[in-house]
Structures are given as C-alpha cells and as structure tokens.
Amino acid sequence: ASGHDRIDEALLEEVEEILITSDVGAAATTRFLKTVDNEVRYNRLTDPARMWEILRDDMLRSLARCGDRKLTVSASPTVVMVVGVNGVGKTTTIGKLAARYKAEGHKVMLAAGDTFRAAAGEQLTLWGQRLGVEVVRQQEGADASAVAYDACQAAMARGVDLLLVDTAGRLHTNVNLMAELEKVRRVIGKVIPGAPHEVVLVLDANTGQNALSQAKTFVDSAGVTGFVLTKMDSTARGGVLVNLVETYQRPVYFIGLGEQAEDLTPFDPEGYVAALFG
Amino acid sequence: ALSDKLEGVLGRLKGRGVLTEQHISDAMKEVRFALLEADVHFSVVKSFVADVREKCLGQDVLGSMTPGQQVAGIVQRELARLMGGTQSPLNLSPDDLTVVLMVGLQGSGKTTTTAKLANRLKTQGRRVLMVACDLQRPAAVEQLKTLGRSIDVPVLDPQPAGGDPVAAAKEGLAHANAQRYDVVLFDTAGRLHVDGDLMDQLVQVRDAVQPRETLLVADAMTGQEAVNIATSFHAALGLSGIVLSKLEGDARGGAVLSMRQVTGCPVKFVGVGEKIGALETFHPERMAGRILG
Ligand SMILES: Nc1nc2c(ncn2[C@@H]2O[C@H](COP(=O)(O)OP(=O)(O)OP(=O)(O)O)[C@@H](O)[C@H]2O)c(=O)[nH]1
Ligand SMILES: Nc1nc2c(ncn2[C@@H]2O[C@H](COP(=O)(O)OP(=O)(O)OP(=O)(O)O)[C@@H](O)[C@H]2O)c(=O)[nH]1
Ligand SMILES: [Mg+2]
Ligand SMILES: [Mg+2]
C-alpha cells in the first residue's frame, strides 16, 4: 500500500492508522499489531508485502467465524424480524430484501411493526406499493405485537413464503423498548412455531464502537441471528464487523450500498478486507 | 474508567520516587486508548495527546502526590475546553426572518430535530414555519407534516413540478416572508458527504434561502468518519452549528470532538430521545466526562 521497503515504526503506524480509521477499534487494532510483532520476532518477517498479506489473512480468519449460512426462505412462511437502533436503515433494508426475494420467485409480505414513529407505516406502505408486495399495518399508536400477530395470521392464510417484520428503531439502552421487542418475538412464536426464523440486526457502517454495545444487547435480549451493515456506500469501511463477527459468530447476510431497492449485496469477506486495506 | 486507569499507572508512584517522562508516556497511552475507544478520530487523538503530554510535564504533575488525579484533571479540562467553553444558543435575527437549514447524513435525526427545534422556538413565543424539502425519501414529507400537527406548527409542502428541492426551498422562503414568520426551518434529505450531485444540490438550496443557521445534525454514535463528514459539509456549506442526536444512549460521543476540531463550529443542541421535548442545550464539561468514560 505504500513505498516502504522494510517493516519499521512508520509502517506500523500506517497499519495502525488504517485499522483505527476503519473503525476496527483500539483493542482489535492492538491485536493485529501484536500479530505482526510476533511474526517479526519469531518468524523473521521483514517484507512489508508479506506483512499486508498476513494482516489480510488474519482479518479473513476472524471474518470466517461468521460462517456461510445464508438468509434462506424455507419454512412456510419464513418470518424475519428486522431490528436495530434508530435510523440505521431497517425499513429501507426490508424494502431491499423484499425486492430481492420477490425477484427470486418468493411470495413476500411486509409487517409494519413500527407503530410509534411519525409516518413509519406510510413509509413501509410506499415500499410495498413500489414493489407490489402486500403490507399488513394498523394505525399509528397500535400495539406492535398486535400488528405482528395479524401479519403472521395473514401470512399463513395467504401462503406467503417470506414475512418481513419491521420494528421501530430503539436504543439498546432503553429497557422498556427492548422488552417490547421481546414481546413481539414471543407473539410471533405463538402464532407460528419456530418463528421468527431470523432476527436480523441492522447496523450503520458510519457507526463507531457503539455498534459493539448495540450488538451485545440485541444479541442477548432479542435473539439476533445475523447482521446487515448498511450505508457502506459512505466512506466508512465498517471495521466494527471484525470484532462483531469474531465475538458473536453470526453471519453478515448483506451489505447496504444505497437508498434504492437494488442497493443490497451479499457480504463478501474478500472484497470487504480488500476495501478496508485499500 | 480512565481516572482509575491513570491512578493505576501513576498512583502507585506516590511517595516512591520521581515521576519520569516514561511514566507520563504510559499515562498518555491510557488516555489515547480511552479516546480511540470513544470514537475520537485517530489524528485528533494524536494532536490532543501531544498537547496534554506537554502540560503533564509541568511541576503540578511531576511534583504531585496524586499525579494520576492531576493528569485526569488536565485531560478533562483540555477536553472540555475543546468542546467549546460557553453554551451557544440559536442565532436569531432580532427583527428579520431567521432561516435555519438542517443538513446531515441519512438517518441522523434531521426531521425529528427540525420538529424539536420548531417546538422549542414556538414555546419561546415565536411564529415558526417548517418547510419539507426532502422530496426523495418515501413519506418524508408526511413525517414532517405529522410532527407539525403534533406540535401545532405549520408545515409547507411545496411539491414543485419536477420535485426539485431547490424550487421547494425558494417557495418556502417566499411563503415565510409573505406570511411574516419569525423563524423558518428547512428539512432536507439525508445525503452522503461524498455524493457530489446531492452536495451540489444542497449548496443550491443554501444559496436559495441564505440561512442564518446551517445546522449539521450528526449521530452521537458516529465513528471515525465524523471528520470526513463534518469537513465536507462545512467546506460545502459553511456550517454555523452542530446538533448531536441520540445522545441518551451509551455512545461515548467522541465524534463530537473530531467535528469541533475540524469545523470550529459550536454544538448548539443535543437530542436525548425521540419525543419532541427531548432536546437539550449542550454541556461541554459533561460531554468531556462522557467521552473519557
Ligand atoms: N446511503 C445509504 N442510505 C441508506 C442505506 N440504507 C438506508 N439508507 C437511508 O437511511 C435513512 C434511514 O433509513 P430507514 O430505513 O428509515 O431507517 P430505519 O432504521 O428504519 O429508521 P427508524 O425506523 O426511524 O429507526 C433513509 O434516508 C434511507 O434512505 C444505505 O445502504 N445507504
Ligand atoms: N433515541 C433517539 N432517537 C432519535 C433522536 N433523534 C432522532 N431519533 C430517531 O432517529 C430516527 C431517524 O430520525 P429522522 O428524523 O427520520 O432522521 P433524518 O435525518 O431525518 O433521516 P433521513 O431524512 O432519512 O436522512 C427516528 O427513529 C427518530 O425518531 C434522539 O435524540 N434519540
Ligand atoms: Mg424504520
Ligand atoms: Mg428526514
């Protein structure tokens, strides 16, 4: 990545800067630098090109912990709950998922589970209209669990393959809202045994280390099964993913790359690492 | 907490000997780690720690019986100073229409903050208008209108032919002047700082309405990109202030230090919840303590 001919202080500082500014985090960065340090000390590493290779492989190894499970439509209906803090792109991601799975021939339905925020139902309804996908919703202020209940019943009755349940944004630090989420999940499970089959945590690539705090709470109390990282069309490199995948060992299903229906791509670890190290 | 870590690094030396530059270097490592974990930008941390280090090599630290506390105090003070010492209110025109332009990345909280600000100004006795200039996000106009109804503040929804936000903004300004409003707030679509077309469009909106206040609404949990984001928006528009949203969570909020460093703009307000009333003035001391963890 630069004109260094040996592994010196300047090069290590460059490595550190790349990792930190990618939001990999201080602790994980220290670990990566330690790896290089060990290679230099015990394996006589001297070539910078080889150093970059080792760093890339190290990161790929961490990311491999996510496994290769894909978001599949198998049960009838498969119920996917989409959760996360405010403004990360949950509703838009649901639109993108609906477009993708409908194009693959599945019968998709959306549940307007955000009954709190202004015009949340309208926003999802517009997505439904845009894609020709049915949306189950109630009036603003209705009980989110009641919408989930209705949507599950409707999905079964209409032979839907994939039910995407939108939820209101909520900070993971809000105990009451996390409890509400848990209630929605329970209600879904009562209507459709085994559901929700997936609980997708949506994270914003512009977010820093707080993504880890978000993941911890959502994984612990909302039963998160996988991640989607949005807004990777920004300059952010989403380095928090490294720590996230290593800690929770759950798949990163998709990456969001824009605001339109087609701006969703399956997570590609090789491409991600290449972009991070630029 | 950082103060504990500093006590750990320096406190053990109490009465046991001279505090050396190495000890200060070790202490600075702890400060650096804490700030990076708090999302302060890499280069902002570098220069901040260099400045603090200088101050720590003075006699009040080296000769102190509680050097850990001394260093912690210096760090806290320096950080609070960089946050902008005094509170900075909204710059309101005494006798003309005050134009406020809300800008920022997708999902940062602009629409919600527009309504919060409108409500605050209304309770202060001003005639406020909100103008819906986000013509691209599904139901964005509806969102602002719904919020407007809930606080009884009118929302102009120009809907110009062609859906051009610049035309909508011009119409909004004309209406605000004609109807003699005191303050007009323009909500705009979220956009990436690297989206050339949308940044140009925003510059055109700014030129059309000539804002007294151009506020960057930024998410408190923003990471290292805070520097790029703030720099780009400031270079393009000339920001007059920052509003930090979603601060009631547990994000350390180091992004605010980065943004202040690169723009010099004051943080005018902080969003501390989804409800209309959840807008507070910025407290530099409190923010410094929060960043340090
Ligand atoms: N650039 C970019 N913008 C995105 C992406 N995903 C979503 N957005 C935008 O981010 C903003 C917020 O998206 P929403 O889908 O409303 O987010 P949300 O999580 O449902 O928000 P709340 O329901 O309010 O918590 C919108 O302006 C979206 O268009 C992405 O991948 N890239
Ligand atoms: N918890 C919390 N949520 C907030 C705060 N401010 C805004 N929000 C929420 O953040 C989400 C996004 O807010 P919006 O006002 O739609 O953000 P925006 O910047 O207008 O989004 P775009 O128009 O898509 O760019 C919504 O769910 C808001 O309720 C805050 O201070 N705290
Ligand atoms: Mg939503
Ligand atoms: Mg908005």
Side-chain angles (χ1 to χ4, degrees):
Chain A
S2 58
H4 289 260
D5 58 358
R6 59 195 197 84
I7 298 176
D8 53 12
E9 274 297 312
L11 182 61
L12 292 175
E13 161 123 1
E14 190 178 323
V15 173
E16 189 184 26
E17 182 161 9
I18 288 178
L19 293 174
I20 292 287
T21 58
S22 298
D23 287 314
V24 164
T29 295
T30 302
R31 253 193 27 246
F32 280 109
L33 288 174
K34 189 86 197 107
T35 298
V36 174
D37 189 56
N38 288 339
E39 290 291 329
V40 166
R41 275 175 205 272
Y42 308 121
N43 288 343
R44 307 190 188 184
L45 175 70
T46 52
D47 173 24
R50 177 73 193 120
M51 179 202 71
W52 291 113
E53 245 176 41
I54 288 171
L55 283 168
R56 277 196 249 272
D57 290 344
D58 197 8
M59 191 174 282
L60 278 170
R61 232 187 332 271
S62 292
L63 291 172
R65 297 273 185 85
C66 77
D68 51 12
R69 197 179 85 230
K70 304 269 170 278
L71 191 66
T72 44
V73 177
S74 49
S76 219
T78 291
V79 181
V80 176
M81 237 175 111
V82 178
V83 305
V85 305
N86 307 76
V88 293
K90 299 178 291 301
T91 306
T92 307
T93 297
I94 284 176
K96 294 173 183 177
L97 288 170
R100 172 172 283 257
Y101 286 89
K102 179 173 178 188
E104 290 179 3
H106 295 292
K107 180 156 169 125
V108 185
M109 177 183 272
L110 311 181
D114 180 352
T115 53
F116 168 74
R117 204 209 68 211
E122 284 85 338
Q123 186 185 3
L124 193 68
T125 297
L126 282 170
W127 271 103
Q129 287 172 6
R130 185 184 288 186
L131 306 173
V133 170
E134 192 176 344
V135 180
V136 171
R137 71 181 271 213
Q138 294 179 14
Q139 73 285 4
E140 194 175 297
D143 183 350
S145 298
V147 179
Y149 182 90
D150 277 359
C152 286
Q153 298 283 10
M156 287 196 297
R158 308 241 226 293
V160 161
D161 300 321
L162 175 66
L163 174 64
L164 296 162
V165 181
D166 195 10
T167 62
R170 70 203 66 221
L171 292 190
H172 50 297
T173 45
N174 189 316
V175 177
N176 292 342
L177 293 184
M178 291 308 289
E180 177 200 70
L181 203 60
E182 176 50 17
K183 181 168 172 227
V184 171
R185 193 158 67 109
R186 269 202 317 275
V187 165
I188 290 174
K190 288 218 174 85
V191 183
I192 300 174
H197 305 89
E198 298 277 358
V199 176
V200 175
L201 176 61
V202 179
L203 298 161
D204 183 334
N206 293 301
T207 301
Q209 299 309 301
N210 194 250
L212 301 178
S213 176
Q214 294 171 27
K216 173 141 186 44
T217 306
F218 275 94
V219 167
D220 287 349
S221 78
V224 167
T225 56
F227 307 106
V228 166
L229 188 68
T230 62
K231 309 182 195 173
M232 278 290 271
D233 45 324
S234 174
T235 44
R237 277 160 283 165
V240 290
L241 224 52
V242 178
N243 210 332
L244 219 69
V245 166
E246 216 180 45
T247 309
Y248 300 106
Q249 302 182 21
R250 283 165 170 77
V252 178
Y253 289 133
F254 295 102
I255 301 291
L257 291 166
E259 303 190 66
Q260 306 308 325
E262 58 273 15
D263 297 329
L264 192 73
T265 184
F267 178 57
D268 161 32
E270 301 268 353
Y272 168 88
V273 172
L276 197 147
F277 282 104
Chain B
L2 178 65
S3 45
D4 302 324
K5 295 213 183 100
L6 290 173
E7 259 318 294
V9 171
L10 301 175
R12 294 179 250 119
L13 302 161
K14 257 186 283 199
R16 274 207 287 127
V18 183
L19 202 61
T20 65
E21 279 210 30
Q22 182 56 47
H23 293 129
I24 296 298
S25 290
D26 291 345
M28 291 305 104
K29 278 205 179 75
E30 294 295 338
V31 174
R32 185 168 183 276
F33 195 86
L35 293 175
L36 290 175
E37 287 280 283
D39 292 325
V40 180
H41 191 268
F42 182 85
S43 33
V44 173
V45 171
K46 198 170 178 184
S47 52
F48 178 80
V49 170
D51 291 344
V52 166
R53 186 192 157 76
E54 278 306 300
K55 296 193 160 66
C56 288
L57 293 176
Q59 207 32 42
D60 15 311
V61 173
L62 297 179
S64 165
M65 289 309 284
T66 56
Q69 285 182 29
Q70 289 293 328
V71 173
I74 289 172
V75 175
Q76 165 82 22
R77 269 199 308 284
E78 283 308 299
L79 211 55
R81 194 175 60 78
L82 290 172
M83 286 302 155
T86 56
Q87 293 196 343
S88 192
L90 210 58
N91 185 357
L92 295 166
S93 166
D95 30 37
D96 292 330
L97 173 71
T98 297
V99 175
V100 180
L101 181 63
M102 311 291 292
V103 304
L105 251 55
Q106 291 90 344
S108 64
K110 297 175 293 300
T111 305
T112 310
T113 304
T114 301
K116 288 178 180 180
L117 267 178
N119 190 53
R120 173 178 271 250
L121 291 162
K122 179 182 175 203
T123 55
Q124 289 170 356
R126 299 194 166 78
R127 260 171 57 81
V128 187
L129 173 73
M130 299 192 287
V131 183
C133 292
D134 179 354
L135 307 181
Q136 80 189 32
R137 166 174 156 156
V141 175
E142 194 50 39
Q143 185 184 2
L144 192 65
K145 280 178 150 172
T146 301
L147 290 170
R149 275 193 299 274
S150 72
I151 57 174
D152 195 22
V153 169
V155 174
L156 192 72
D157 162 25
Q159 293 190 15
D164 175 20
V166 184
K170 287 187 176 139
E171 215 175 304
L173 183 66
H175 184 80
N177 274 310
Q179 299 298 322
R180 300 182 182 284
Y181 281 97
D182 299 322
V183 188
V184 58
L185 299 147
F186 290 88
D187 183 24
T188 63
R191 69 206 62 221
L192 293 180
H193 49 300
V194 288
D195 187 327
D197 290 342
L198 286 186
M199 289 305 286
D200 285 345
Q201 181 197 82
L202 196 54
V203 172
Q204 288 180 40
V205 168
R206 183 213 53 192
D207 291 346
V209 305
Q210 305 274 320
R212 198 174 174 92
E213 286 275 10
T214 301
L215 302 177
L216 175 68
V217 180
D219 203 318
M221 56 188 182
T222 308
Q224 296 285 307
E225 288 313 302
V227 161
N228 285 338
I229 295 164
T231 302
S232 302
F233 274 90
H234 192 49
L237 304 169
L239 301 170
S240 65
I242 296 167
V243 177
L244 210 58
S245 67
K246 311 175 203 171
L247 199 61
E248 85 277 17
D250 62 356
R252 295 268 289 275
V256 75
L257 177 60
S258 309
M259 292 190 288
R260 273 213 35 83
Q261 282 299 84
V262 299
T263 65
C265 288
V267 180
K268 302 231 165 180
F269 298 102
V270 295
V272 291
E274 294 195 73
K275 301 215 167 75
I276 287 291
L279 189 74
E280 294 178 356
T281 47
F282 178 64
H283 293 278
E285 298 279 349
R286 228 183 275 172
M287 192 74 216
R290 176 190 182 116
I291 289 176
L292 292 174

